[in-house]
Amino acid sequence: MVGNKISDKIFSTVVSIISFILMAVCVVCIIINTKKEPQPGDTGQDGKSAYEIAVANGYKGTEQEWLQSLVGSRGESGISVVDVKLNENGDLVITLSNGEVISCGGHSDQCVHEYSDWSIISEASCENLGIRTRACKKCDYKDYEIIDKEEHKYIEKIVSPTCVSEGYTEKTCEKCGKVVKENIVEKIEHDYEDFIIEPTCTKDGYTEHICKNCGKSYADNTVAHLEHNYEFLYEVSSTCKEHKVLKQCSICNNAQLFDEKIVAEHNYVNNVCTVCGKSLLTAEESFEFTLLEDNTYEVKLKKIENIPNTIVIPETYNDVAVTVIGDGAFKDLKEIVSISLPNTITKIGRNAFSGCENLVTINISEGVKEIGNSAFKNCYSLKNIELPSTIEKIDTLAFYNCKSIKVFVLSQNLKSIGEFAFFECSNLTYVELYNNVETIGNGAFTNCVNLVSINIPASVINMGEYVFANCPKLTIYCAFTSAPSTWSVNWNADECLVKWE
């Protein structure tokens, strides 16, 4: 700390030993009147103003610029210098932040001053000048001294550059909190790691690039998805009209039915083709027809001798469509091996084929919307069935105890599966549901001990109790993240493996 004492006897000595900047600051410290008015001495010669002294010591700016250089910024607390100016007599006038005004003029007196210790009026800081005072013990004159600003005391923090922001050196003053950024370093390049995503039958392949530092990613090098590679899985039907097989893609496991278009010759036995079921008997000889309210016919088999093992239902009777297989129409007929339905059928009634223990194949034609209660109950020999796209409802116990069925590809328009619909289908391994099914009833797949896979689409709103009870091999693929609140809490009571989407 360097000061400049101003008194009317040693003023010129002090001015000569300080630098012009500190001299310019220190000239604000002058003697002011004390509480006790001194006796005036002889009038001396007028001295130079503080600005003139600064110019004489090398200052080259204007008077206003010089005055402005003496003003520091306001501190957060305490007393600081807020204004410095010259009055009309050339005396320096200092205004402090507490409102006190100090007028420093050139005075001369005959007192040989004996001063007290310095007393701080305003502390100096990194941003502001300070000021201190002392008083003559004899005459109570006061002497003032400007205190230089303190040096900043910086703490340095080096911030390394990243791929999203620049690096720099941050300096923070411990005293005043001033922050300075310097030594700016440009962002670094992204450091990408490459991941090759192979194409599948359903999705394109690509290369994904992920930055190790910031996680930014992008994809390129798209590769078109692969073609399905279908392999034979099951034979669904084989007649002299068609030959359908179920194939599964070895890459993505998608299953699809294919028509191989293999045509066989009819093989008639007892007036019925053993391959396709075409009958040489007339409709009147074989069936009983009942006219319905919508002016279509319901059909049932008559009690006839030598029931053929293959039944072909006619499309019309008296030029009117046959639309319904009546309740119990072929119930407990153990002679029947194969049944062919016409495209005109819309409903298979209650117990229609129940107890047909030797029934192996049936083509359920397009147009059928509903399969009634217990329609195929205890059809032990019935094998894989393809349901048409028109099926909307499979009623309670519809395929109860159909032990030979291995694969069910259900209708795309199916909305409801009734209670115990596939109960005890012990050889069923695979079931595919489409995204229209809304309801699956209580115990629908109970005791399907060999069922391996079933998908539950996002359309399922209602799920009953114990739907998959005693299905120890089953994996359930659910298009949900968790079970909806509308499902029974016991829907998966046996805790089969569930893979949520």
Side-chain angles (χ1 to χ4, degrees), residues 80-99:
S80 62
V81 177
V82 297
D83 188 45
V84 180
K85 63 182 178 180
L86 296 174
N87 63 17
E88 62 273 13
N89 296 324
D91 298 332
L92 201 63
V93 179
I94 302 171
T95 302
L96 304 180
S97 60
N98 64 355

Side-chain angles (χ1 to χ4, degrees), residues 4 13 37 223 226 396-397 440 483 495:
N4 177 29
T13 301
E37 186 67 21
V223 180
L226 305 175
T396 302
L397 300 169
I440 301 177
E495 298 183 353

Side-chain angles (χ1 to χ4, degrees), residues 282-387:
T282 63
E284 289 84 354
E285 292 174 323
S286 302
F287 303 105
E288 176 184 326
F289 297 94
T290 302
L291 188 64
L292 303 174
E293 292 181 357
D294 63 355
N295 290 321
T296 62
Y297 281 105
E298 174 187 277
V299 65
K300 293 183 179 181
L301 187 66
K302 285 183 177 181
K303 294 181 179 181
I304 58 176
E305 295 181 358
N306 299 321
I307 295 174
N309 57 15
T310 300
I311 302 293
V312 179
I313 309 296
E315 290 186 3
T316 62
Y317 178 69
N318 292 337
D319 296 327
V320 176
V322 177
T323 60
V324 176
I325 306 297
D327 292 348
F330 300 89
K331 187 171 186 269
D332 295 330
L333 295 179
K334 295 178 175 57
E335 298 88 346
I336 299 176
V337 175
S338 174
I339 296 175
S340 177
L341 304 182
N343 291 333
T344 54
I345 299 298
T346 60
K347 179 181 178 181
I348 298 175
R350 183 183 183 93
N351 289 305
F353 301 99
S354 176
C356 294
E357 297 178 1
N358 294 305
L359 177 63
V360 176
T361 62
I362 181 172
N363 71 306
I364 302 178
S365 56
E366 286 291 331
V368 177
K369 294 183 177 180
E370 180 179 348
I371 297 177
N373 189 319
S374 304
F376 295 94
K377 182 179 179 181
N378 293 330
C379 291
Y380 308 135
S381 302
L382 186 62
K383 293 186 177 179
N384 303 319
I385 293 179
E386 177 190 357
L387 297 182

Side-chain angles (χ1 to χ4, degrees), residues 199-228:
T200 67
C201 309
T202 56
K203 294 182 179 179
D204 292 340
Y206 56 91
T207 300
E208 185 174 29
H209 311 273
I210 303 176
C211 178
K212 298 177 183 178
N213 299 319
C214 69
K216 180 180 179 181
S217 66
Y218 70 94
D220 58 12
N221 301 328
T222 301
V223 180
H225 63 80
L226 305 175
E227 295 295 327
H228 289 291

